[in-house]
């Protein structure tokens, strides 16, 4: 196999003066610079000249009108030669310390895993140079960081200590990454602005974009600058990924939004050639992700040999500077190596030939940089060994201290599932008994819309976005059109009143909506976003289940993402069919950390939405489409501070013979059935849960003890649904009060059909509830 330099591999385009630069930028074995090869990206794309001026201002939607892109720099007659990075001997030694410490921490963890003292290990070996360089260019506690599990050297350079890393390895309570709740190398540090990271690859990308978008929105909304204490005008958001992660759809969604809004995000692709055992040519068409992203506008792209610390430093400085100057996102494609297996659960010898592994070993960044320090007389061999010995001692001492540090106490397991500071079930959120209704009755749409208007006036942190939620994205047309305001008009006129900085449309991408909302909420904004139909929430389920609901718990309350996801849900609309009638509520109620709200009428929708916005937890707010404009659930306006606490059910109808526990569209259907049953002499009590996570167990128990017979009715499928949980708990805890089996009324275990006759038989009707009442009463 012919020897090829790293720059041969990348076909890096550099000015001739840079090719002839001093030895500080070259290693004779691997950095022979060559002319541009075939298939190269557009000339100038990766040169210093490209960052010397902004790209032409793109045609953008008026949403960006309040924050025009910076003017391009004036053209110069001749590009100046790219200056070499000014790196002092002290800085070079500091870089080596970080790189060597990162590698030895990996080695120490591998040793501890072999001793069964820790339980998982995944290394950052081979990535140390580019990550140390990145850490030198960024500001801990000032910029924001969304690293991935290889980023040990970055975190060390930012200020995380070996002890803090080993505390995570042993699962100690004192671990600042997760307080014993996350696997090793899943970084998080509140003081350093390293946001808690999870195991799914790629989910961090949209959150990083959301965090950068918070910077963008804060600049547009004057009131926010005083409220968001962590804001800095030139702050940058760093996010990293492996080459395998570039296959995830969320990678492309993140690039799309970052480029469209010109956000200050530095994307670092650490390309070690493998996603576990799958090589890059299998992952990526053409084997080169940089070529695939070449069409993104406003994206400053560079490549580098990520095993060369000084070249990496030069590239990262340019990337960060591009973002600090508000020129848009930067993308760095760093070619690195992976000298160890993917993790200790993997054996790379099973799929990597010895020759390939040996070739990588020749480019080991730690060995190369150490040799460079000696060659350039920054330090001699003895001095370098002293540094190594000192770091080895530090790591051994840190390992002993970590092993002696206690693990979390068992009683802490339930801490921080929800906010410890704000309790939405408390009396603080209950103004229901002193409500004063006024004005003409409004529909559920009317009262939700009015709540949004009032809350956005009260709290400038609230931003509303989703598909079609704006009145008109092209602001020049606002005076000429009526305005969209959502497919159900729930967000009508919000953009007109609060502007495009706070109310705006998103791409047609549900994960994009929720991922960005998580990032914004982490930064202190209060996103109230809309998923247009419940049936299309599934692309966002990954973000909801693994990120949104878990952020607070997995970080030990260091980070949280309180936002509201409004979702039109349910059937009973003729023509809704399979993909506009779903009601998979139980898939969300079983997620710890998530609040799930489901009002059945306009008044409750107004009060519960206000509680959802003012609480400190993530909320799924389900709005039944069939109930949006029903005359029977209208209500006058309850006032600007009307709130209903979570887990407070409402007794819709008093009764003595039988109880129905229900919510959503089945409330009215149960009322209709109860009135028919009353004609037969059966007194039916109806309890509307209003919130399904948490739910009001005390109200359920009180009603069951009173009537001794109970039906659980809901629109979701019968089997494995929310009703099964309620029925099981009643049977378990209230068995002695029952005079009959617990009965369920629900949809058939199939999908909702388009034909009205089929829809009627699939979804539970009033007649089904009446039949259950009659049969259970006569038991």
């Amino acid at each position: 196999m012919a020897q090829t330099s790293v720059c041969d591999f990348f076909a890096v385009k550099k000015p001739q003066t840079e090719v002839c630069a001093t030895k500080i930028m070259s290693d004779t074995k691997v950095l022979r610079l060559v002319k541009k090869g075939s298939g190269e990206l557009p000339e100038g794309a990766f040169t210093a000249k490209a960052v010397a001026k902004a790209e032409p201002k793109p045609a953008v939607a008026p949403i960006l009108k309040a924050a025009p892109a910076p003017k391009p720099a004036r053209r110069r007659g001749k590009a100046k030669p790219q200056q070499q990075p000014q790196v002092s001997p002290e800085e070079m030694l500091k870089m080596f310390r970080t790189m060597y410490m990162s590698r030895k921490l990996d080695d120490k963890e591998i040793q501890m895993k072999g001793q069964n003292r820790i339980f998982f290990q995944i290394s950052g070996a081979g990535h140390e140079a580019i990550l140390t360089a990145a850490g030198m260019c960024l500001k801990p506690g000032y910029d924001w960081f969304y690293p991935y599990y290889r980023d040990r050297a970055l975190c060390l350079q930012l200020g995380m200590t070996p002890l803090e890393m080993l505390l995570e390895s042993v699962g100690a309570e004192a671990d600042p990454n997760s307080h014993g709740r996350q696997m090793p190398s899943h970084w998080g540090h509140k003081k350093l602005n390293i946001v808690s990271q999870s195991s799914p690859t790629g989910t961090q990308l949209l959150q990083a974009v959301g965090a950068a978008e918070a910077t963008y929105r804060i600049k547009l909304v004057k009131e926010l600058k005083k409220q968001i204490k962590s804001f800095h005008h030139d702050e940058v958001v760093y996010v990293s990924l492996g080459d395998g992660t570039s296959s995830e759809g969320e990678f492309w969604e993140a690039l799309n939004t970052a480029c469209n809004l010109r956000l200050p995000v530095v994307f670092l692709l650490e390309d070690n050639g493998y996603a576990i055992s799958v090589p890059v040519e299998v992952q990526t068409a053409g084997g080169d992700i940089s070529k695939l992203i070449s069409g993104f506008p406003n994206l400053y792209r560079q490549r580098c040999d990520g095993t060369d610390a000084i070249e990496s430093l030069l590239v990262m400085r340019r990337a960060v500077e591009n973002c600090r100057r508000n020129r848009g996102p930067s993308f760095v494609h760093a070619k690195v190596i992976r000298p160890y297996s993917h993790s200790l659960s993997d054996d790379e010898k099973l799929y990597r030939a010895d020759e390939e592994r040996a070739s990588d070993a020749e480019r080991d960044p730690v060995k190369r940089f150490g040799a460079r320090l000696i060659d350039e007389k920054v330090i001699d061999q003895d001095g370098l060994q002293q540094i190594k010995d000192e770091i080895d001692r530090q790591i051994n001492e840190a390992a002993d201290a970590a092993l002696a540090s206690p693990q979390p106490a068992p009683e802490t397991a339930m801490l921080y599932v929800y906010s410890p500071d704000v309790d939405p079930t408390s009396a603080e959120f209950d103004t229901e008994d002193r409500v004063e209704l006024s004005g003409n009755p409004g529909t559920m749409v009317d009262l939700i819309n009015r709540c949004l208007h009032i809350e956005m006036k009260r709290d400038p942190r609230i931003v509303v976005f989703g598909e079609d939620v704006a009145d008109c994205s092209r602001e020049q047309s606002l005076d000429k059109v009526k305005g969209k305001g959502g497919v159900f008009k729930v967000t009508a006129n919000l953009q007109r009143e609060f502007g495009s900085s706070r109310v705006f449309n998103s791409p047609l991408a549900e994960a994009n909506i929720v991922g960005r909302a998580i990032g914004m909420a982490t930064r202190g904004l209060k996103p109230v976003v809309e998923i247009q139909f419940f049936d299309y929430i599934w692309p966002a389920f990954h973000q909801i289940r693994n990120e949104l609901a878990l952020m607070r718990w997995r970080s030990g309350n260091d980070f949280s993402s309180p936002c509201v996801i409004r979702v039109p849900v349910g059937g009973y609309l003729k023509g809704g069919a399979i993909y506009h009638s779903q009601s998979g509520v139980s898939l969300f109620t079983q997620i710890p950390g998530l609040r799930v709200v489901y009002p059945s009428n306009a008044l409750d929708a107004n009060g519960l939405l206000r509680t959802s916005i003012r609480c400190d937890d993530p909320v799924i707010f389900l709005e039944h489409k069939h109930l949006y404009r029903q005359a029977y659930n209208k209500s006058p306006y309850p006032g600007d501070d009307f709130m209903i606490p979570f887990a407070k059910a409402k007794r819709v109808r008093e009764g003595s013979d039988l109880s129905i526990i229900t919510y959503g569209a089945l409330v009215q259907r149960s009322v209709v059935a109860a009135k028919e049953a009353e004609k037969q002499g059966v007194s039916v009590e109806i309890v509307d849960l209003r919130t399904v996570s948490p739910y009001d167990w005390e109200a359920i128990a009180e009603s069951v003890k009173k009537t001794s017979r109970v039906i659980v009715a809901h629109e979701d499928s019968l089997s494995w649904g929310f009703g099964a949980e309620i029925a099981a708990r009643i049977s378990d805890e209230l068995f002695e009060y029952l005079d009959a089996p617990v009965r369920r009324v629900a949809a058939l275990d199939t999908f909702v059909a388009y034909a009205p006759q089929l829809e009627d038989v699939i979804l539970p009707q009033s007649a089904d509830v009446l039949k259950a009442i009659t049969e259970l009463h006569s038991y």
Side-chain angles (χ1 to χ4, degrees), residues 500-511:
S500 300
S501 301
R502 296 181 63 195
V503 183
F504 47 94
N505 286 327
S506 73
L508 201 159
E510 288 75 16

Side-chain angles (χ1 to χ4, degrees), residues 444-446 448-450 452-453 456 464-474 477-478 481-500 503-506 528-533 566 568 623 628-629:
M444 183 182 285
V445 167
D446 296 331
I448 290 175
N449 179 269
R450 191 161 180 181
L452 290 170
H453 274 273
M456 290 191 75
V464 172
F465 63 99
E467 299 163 22
D468 300 301
V469 301
D471 293 305
C472 181
S473 287
R474 293 175 175 167
S477 301
L478 262 178
V481 297
K482 185 176 181 180
K484 183 72 173 176
V487 296
F488 296 102
K489 311 297 291 182
V490 179
T491 55
N493 295 317
L494 289 179
Q495 180 196 5
R496 292 183 191 274
E497 181 169 352
F498 299 103
S500 300
V503 183
F504 47 94
N505 286 327
S506 73
V528 180
V529 302
E530 178 181 302
I531 300 295
Q532 196 167 87
F533 289 94
R566 295 182 37 257
E623 304 167 3
Y628 266 153
R629 291 181 170 83

Side-chain angles (χ1 to χ4, degrees), residues 756-767:
Q757 184 170 319
L758 281 180
E759 178 185 330
D760 288 346
V761 75
I762 290 166
L763 294 178
Q765 307 296 334
S766 296

Side-chain angles (χ1 to χ4, degrees), residues 693-736:
S693 182
Y695 61 86
D696 189 345
W697 173 247
E698 288 72 21
I700 294 172
E702 180 183 349
S703 185
V704 171
K705 290 176 182 179
K706 175 182 175 182
T707 67
S708 298
R709 286 175 169 80
V710 60
I711 294 170
V712 183
H714 59 68
E715 186 178 341
D716 212 349
S717 299
L718 178 69
S719 302
W720 308 289
F722 184 79
E725 165 61 24
I726 301 298
R729 188 172 180 186
I730 291 171
S731 297
D732 181 32
E733 300 183 30
L734 302 173
F735 182 78
E736 64 270 29

